């Protein structure tokens, strides 16, 4: 999954590039959707994936990413108490989604995280944004810088909570990217998204993700709603298979009701698991080949991938897979561990399913002066 960090935008290829006759997804009653296989870094299906949409409270995934980043960097602690500002309180009063925090009270950061995620509290979200950015405006600038760092082209954030604002937009593909980065970069912190309810100030509110009650493999992520966006849900599930666990993510925007967004997301998850096979081609750091090396202390270099090579293919197509290693030849020492020297292509027939960077698994130093001179002559003679 780590190769996602560098190649996510390239990995989200819709299924017409994966198979000549891909399995057809179920009919989904929504304005736009995408189904992602996080384990294989692939998109399995989608409709209008790049259409501009209003993200509503799905915005809070980007806010949460920056909150978890601040916790990781020790800029916040879970036990730290924040004083509720009037702006945070007032933002909560403008919409039904609030944690019910009161001006001047002190609230633990962890409680605010639960309020933002489980209760979708706009007040909790703004208070966290103020603590991290110094002001809401500074935090929003941080959100947009992070979007650029992710390689997002459409997403623009005007606030941290997702209330309607001119120019506050995204796409289902880019919202999926944010969700994937959240799951990959902060796997321990996403536990909050599986909480079914949270009680604060003697007020208990349930998580609005209905799939948490219906499918034991679902453990997140976020709901959203505005009049313009309709009912939205980013859902994720993790199920175990003989080749290892598979995590899928659905992004559904513009459903007609809370029930509809849950039903349509469940249809996509079930189809993704039943119509597609996950195939592990290589383990992480497995030696794929020992390539000829010039001017090195060793005559060969061990090459492989830093992460497991896993691909998703239409069910029954796994037996057609083959690999092709494209190298940057000639390989000349010195080589450093982790240095990219080629690309591994995974093909089904003649179709490229996935492309993964191939790196040096063990560093190789230069040979002595005589060895380098001899290989220089040999290269010239070639």
């Amino acid at each position: 999954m780590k190769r996602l960090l560098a190649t996510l935008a390239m990995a989200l290829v819709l299924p017409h590039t994966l198979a000549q006759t891909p399995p057809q997804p179920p009919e989904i009653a929504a304005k736009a959707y995408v189904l992602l296989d996080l384990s294989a870094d692939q998109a399995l299906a989608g409709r209008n994936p790049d259409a501009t949409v209003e993200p509503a409270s799905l915005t809070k995934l980007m806010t949460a990413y920056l909150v978890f980043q601040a916790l990781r960097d020790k800029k916040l602690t879970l036990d730290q108490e924040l004083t509720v500002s009037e702006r945070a309180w007032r933002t909560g009063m403008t919409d039904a989604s609030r944690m019910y925090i009161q001006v001047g009270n002190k609230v633990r950061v962890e409680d605010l995280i639960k309020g933002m995620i489980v209760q979708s509290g706009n007040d909790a979200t703004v208070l966290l944004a103020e603590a991290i950015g110094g002001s809401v405006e500074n935090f929003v600038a941080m959100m947009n810088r992070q979007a650029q760092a992710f390689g997002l082209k459409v997403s623009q954030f005007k606030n941290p909570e997702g209330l309607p604002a001119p120019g506050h937009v995204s796409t289902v593909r880019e919202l999926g990217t944010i969700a994937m980065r959240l799951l990959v970069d902060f796997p321990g912190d996403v536990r909050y998204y599986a909480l079914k309810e949270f009680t604060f100030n003697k007020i208990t509110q349930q998580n609005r993700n209905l799939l948490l009650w219906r499918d034991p493999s679902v453990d997140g992520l976020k709901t959203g709603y505005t009049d313009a966006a309709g009912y939205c849900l980013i859902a994720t599930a993790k199920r175990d298979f003989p080749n290892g666990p598979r995590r899928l993510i659905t992004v559904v925007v513009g459903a007609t009701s809370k029930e509809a967004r849950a039903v349509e997301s469940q249809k996509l998850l079930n189809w993704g698991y039943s119509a597609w096979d996950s195939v592990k081609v290589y383990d992480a750091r497995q030696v794929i080949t020992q390539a000829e090396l010039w001017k090195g202390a060793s005559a060969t270099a061990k090459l492989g991938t830093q992460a497991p090579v896993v691909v998703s293919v239409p069910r029954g197509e796994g037996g057609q897979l083959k690999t092709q290693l494209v190298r940057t030849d000639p390989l000349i020492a010195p080589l450093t561990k982790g240095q990219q020297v080629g690309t591994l292509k995974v093909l089904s027939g003649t179709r490229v399913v996935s492309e993964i960077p191939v790196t040096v698994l063990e560093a190789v130093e230069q040979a002595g002066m005589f060895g380098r001179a001899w290989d220089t002559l040999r290269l010239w003679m070639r």
Side-chain angles (χ1 to χ4, degrees):
M1 287 195 301
K2 290 299 184 184
R3 64 188 168 91
L4 170 70
L5 306 185
T7 62
L8 181 60
M10 295 178 60
L12 294 184
V13 180
L14 289 179
H16 65 266
T17 65
L18 298 182
Q20 294 172 346
T21 55
Q24 292 302 302
E27 184 60 34
I28 300 300
K31 293 178 182 177
Y33 75 85
V34 68
L35 170 64
L36 310 175
D37 187 328
L38 179 60
S39 305
D41 302 349
Q42 292 174 211
L44 305 183
R47 187 174 70 235
N48 300 325
D50 299 311
T52 300
V53 299
E54 185 176 308
S57 279
L58 304 183
T59 300
K60 293 183 174 79
L61 288 184
M62 180 62 90
T63 302
Y65 187 94
L66 295 179
V67 171
F68 297 150
Q69 196 175 69
L71 289 168
R72 181 197 64 195
D73 297 342
K74 310 300 183 184
K75 295 178 180 178
L76 282 181
T77 67
L78 291 176
D79 290 328
Q80 183 177 342
E81 292 186 332
L82 303 180
T83 301
V84 180
S85 68
E86 182 173 348
R87 181 169 184 172
W89 170 80
R90 195 172 299 281
T91 303
M93 295 299 291
T94 60
D95 185 75
S97 299
R98 59 183 183 269
M99 184 181 172
Y100 296 97
I101 53 179
Q102 301 298 319
V103 177
N105 288 355
K106 293 183 179 297
V107 186
R108 291 176 66 247
V109 165
E110 186 169 32
D111 287 338
L112 290 167
I113 291 172
K114 293 176 182 178
M116 174 179 66
I117 290 174
V118 182
Q119 301 171 336
S120 199
N122 295 331
D123 44 6
T125 305
V126 168
L127 185 54
L128 287 167
E130 290 175 328
I132 295 169
S135 69
V136 171
E137 290 72 21
N138 287 343
F139 185 83
V140 170
M142 292 172 63
M143 295 173 73
N144 288 314
R145 286 196 297 272
Q146 191 64 59
Q148 291 178 348
F150 286 166
L152 308 186
K153 305 300 183 184
V154 177
S155 297
Q156 286 289 323
F157 300 105
K158 302 299 181 181
N159 58 60
E161 75 282 343
L163 288 172
H168 189 92
V169 295
S170 188
T171 71
V172 293
R173 187 194 299 271
E174 294 191 354
L175 289 167
T177 299
I178 297 169
M180 293 174 85
R181 291 297 300 258
L182 190 69
L183 288 161
V184 170
D185 293 351
F186 301 104
D189 293 318
V190 294
R191 67 187 186 279
Y192 296 111
Y193 289 95
L195 296 175
K196 293 181 178 179
E197 63 179 31
F198 176 58
T199 300
F200 181 80
N201 198 24
K202 298 182 180 180
I203 300 172
T204 298
Q205 297 185 65
Q206 291 190 332
N207 196 313
R208 297 164 189 177
N209 182 359
L210 299 180
L211 295 186
L212 293 176
W213 282 267
R214 300 178 182 180
D215 184 341
S217 69
V218 171
D219 53 3
L221 276 166
K222 192 70 190 73
T223 62
Y225 170 79
T226 64
D227 289 340
Y231 290 88
C232 312
L233 173 61
I234 298 180
T236 184
K238 184 179 180 181
R239 298 183 188 177
D240 291 326
F241 290 85
N243 287 338
R246 291 181 68 196
R247 180 173 287 282
L248 301 184
I249 302 170
T250 62
V251 184
V252 172
V253 170
T256 57
S257 67
K258 295 177 183 179
E259 178 66 20
R261 70 187 176 192
V263 169
E264 301 308 297
S265 298
Q266 185 75 76
K267 283 162 60 176
L268 277 173
L269 288 172
N270 290 342
W271 175 80
Y273 283 117
S274 63
W276 294 79
D277 287 332
S278 179
V279 181
K280 180 184 284 188
V281 182
Y282 290 109
D283 289 319
R285 293 173 292 281
Q286 179 180 342
V287 177
I288 295 174
T289 187
Q290 297 203 45
E292 183 179 23
L293 180 64
W294 301 83
K295 302 184 183 182
S298 171
T300 60
K302 295 178 180 179
L303 307 183
T305 60
Q306 293 300 307
V309 178
V310 179
V311 296
S312 281
V313 294
R315 175 144 292 183
E317 229 182 76
Q320 301 178 33
L321 292 178
K322 59 183 179 180
T323 60
Q324 180 183 87
L325 178 56
V326 181
R327 293 206 308 266
T328 309
D329 284 336
L331 295 180
I332 300 176
L335 296 178
T336 59
K337 184 178 180 179
Q339 179 180 340
Q340 183 174 346
V341 293
T343 301
L344 180 72
K345 294 184 178 182
V346 182
L347 303 97
S348 178
T350 60
R351 292 170 280 110
V352 177
V353 177
S354 186
E355 297 187 32
I356 306 97
V358 170
T359 63
V360 178
L361 298 180
E362 296 177 3
V364 183
E365 300 295 332
Q366 279 188 327
M369 183 181 300
F370 178 78
R372 296 199 306 273
W374 175 245
D375 277 358
T376 299
L377 177 61
R378 291 173 62 210
L379 281 169
W380 179 78
M381 292 175 66
R382 289 183 66 187

